[in-house]
Amino acid sequence: MTRTEEFEELRPLLFSIAYRILGSVSEAEDAVQETWLRYEATGTQPKSAKAFLSTVVTRIAIDVLRSARVRREEYVGPWFPEPLLADPYSDPERSAELADSLSMAALLLLERLSPLERAVFVLREVFGFSFREIASVVDRSEAACRQLSIRARRHMDAGRPRFEADRKEREQLADRFFGALREGDVDGLRELLAADVHMVGDGGGKTPHAARELFGSEDVAALLAVLTPSLIRIGGSVEAHEVNGQPGAILRDRDGKVLNTLLLDIVDGQIQTIRTVSNPDKLGHVGPVADAWAVFNEARRSME
């Protein structure tokens, strides 16, 4: 196997590691590309390509995350990870860990960890690296990595919901939600939302929004029942699609360009949180991005 073939075989794993550390598709792709450049420039063949490349991509991701945190502190409005439609890496033996770690809620919990804690947690809990391997990757002792892992797991466990819906139940509830959404059915939407549902959007200050954050089933249902039918009236669409391993949707304009992504957190049989990402800088990998302001103004005129 050539060096290029080795790298391409491991690319899905490298991207998946980098994305979970960074929460950014574009930055993860850049980290993987930089890893390839370093691998290509290496004079000798490493004993284990997987160990070498995992180490390089993790260290790059840690460095990028440290600088990214400064930018995120200056971000306009709520900051969410870039939506991921499909994880390129799969491992049947760790499918549960991979799926759990990909959700928007889990990625936001990871944001609370230090870059080093985050990297250790991802390598250990998600991808099953041994502490010996992790120690070599992050250049710390095995004992230090165990402590980092314990602290990270404690923070993650404390923030997770107690009763999560199973996959089939989530899909069925999401189907009903998107049906009611398209129809502008306030009662149907209200029935599926938790009383204290939280709807929040990441537009980065670059897109229109009726409300950056909204709480309560009455207000959230009323807003959704107005906005979505108005989009459909002018030729837009709501395309149900799994996003970050969760029930979600891609909202498009009449030309099929992406307006935003929508994700549902379903806990204990109800929708607890609705997160939208409309910042155009975070949607380019999903597809051509729509002019959100033009769509908003046209939809508003259609309601007059």
Side-chain angles (χ1 to χ4, degrees), residues 33-233:
Q33 182 61 25
E34 177 62 25
T35 299
W36 161 248
L37 294 175
R38 297 188 189 185
Y39 187 42
E40 189 180 35
T42 302
T44 57
Q45 179 67 22
K47 290 182 179 179
S48 168
K50 178 183 177 181
F52 177 85
L53 293 170
S54 298
T55 297
V56 173
V57 80
T58 299
R59 291 180 178 178
I60 291 171
I62 289 172
D63 288 342
V64 172
L65 182 58
R66 284 172 174 151
S67 62
R69 289 202 157 188
V70 176
R71 298 194 302 274
R72 290 174 190 177
E73 289 174 359
E74 301 171 351
Y75 195 80
V76 178
W79 181 94
F80 292 157
E82 292 181 9
L84 185 67
L85 301 187
D87 188 356
Y89 178 74
S90 62
D91 180 350
E93 294 184 0
R94 304 198 64 80
S95 58
E97 292 85 351
L98 289 166
D100 289 346
S101 65
L102 195 63
S103 73
M104 193 69 76
L107 291 171
L108 288 171
L109 285 174
L110 284 170
E111 282 292 306
R112 303 179 185 179
L113 306 181
S114 71
L116 203 56
E117 287 173 338
R118 185 165 180 166
V120 170
F121 181 88
V122 166
L123 293 175
R124 177 63 181 174
E125 301 296 331
V126 181
F127 295 96
F129 281 54
S130 70
F131 282 113
R132 180 179 180 181
E133 291 171 318
I134 295 170
S136 176
V137 170
V138 301
D139 197 23
R140 296 290 190 279
S141 68
E142 288 187 45
C145 290
R146 289 180 188 275
Q147 288 303 311
L148 287 166
S149 177
I150 289 170
R151 288 203 302 269
R153 193 184 311 117
R154 187 182 302 128
H155 284 300
M156 294 295 289
D157 289 344
R160 285 197 174 104
R162 292 181 60 193
F163 304 106
E164 296 189 23
D166 65 36
R167 188 177 188 87
K168 185 176 181 180
E169 180 185 353
R170 287 189 310 172
E171 291 174 350
Q172 291 174 342
L173 194 151
D175 286 343
R176 292 167 58 199
F177 172 81
F178 289 120
L181 188 65
R182 295 184 185 97
E183 294 297 323
D185 180 358
V186 177
D187 292 336
L189 290 168
R190 191 187 301 116
E191 178 185 343
L192 301 171
L193 301 173
D196 59 348
V197 65
H198 180 201
M199 181 173 172
V200 57
D202 173 353
K206 299 182 178 183
T207 57
H209 54 82
R212 185 173 289 162
E213 290 194 73
L214 207 59
F215 294 89
S217 58
E218 294 288 339
D219 289 343
V220 171
L223 180 65
L224 290 174
V226 170
L227 291 183
T228 310
S230 67
L231 170 65
I232 294 173
R233 276 197 303 272

Side-chain angles (χ1 to χ4, degrees), residues 287-303:
V289 180
D291 182 341
W293 281 104
V295 173
F296 175 78
N297 289 329
E298 185 178 357
R300 184 175 58 182
R301 289 193 297 270
S302 76
M303 293 186 288

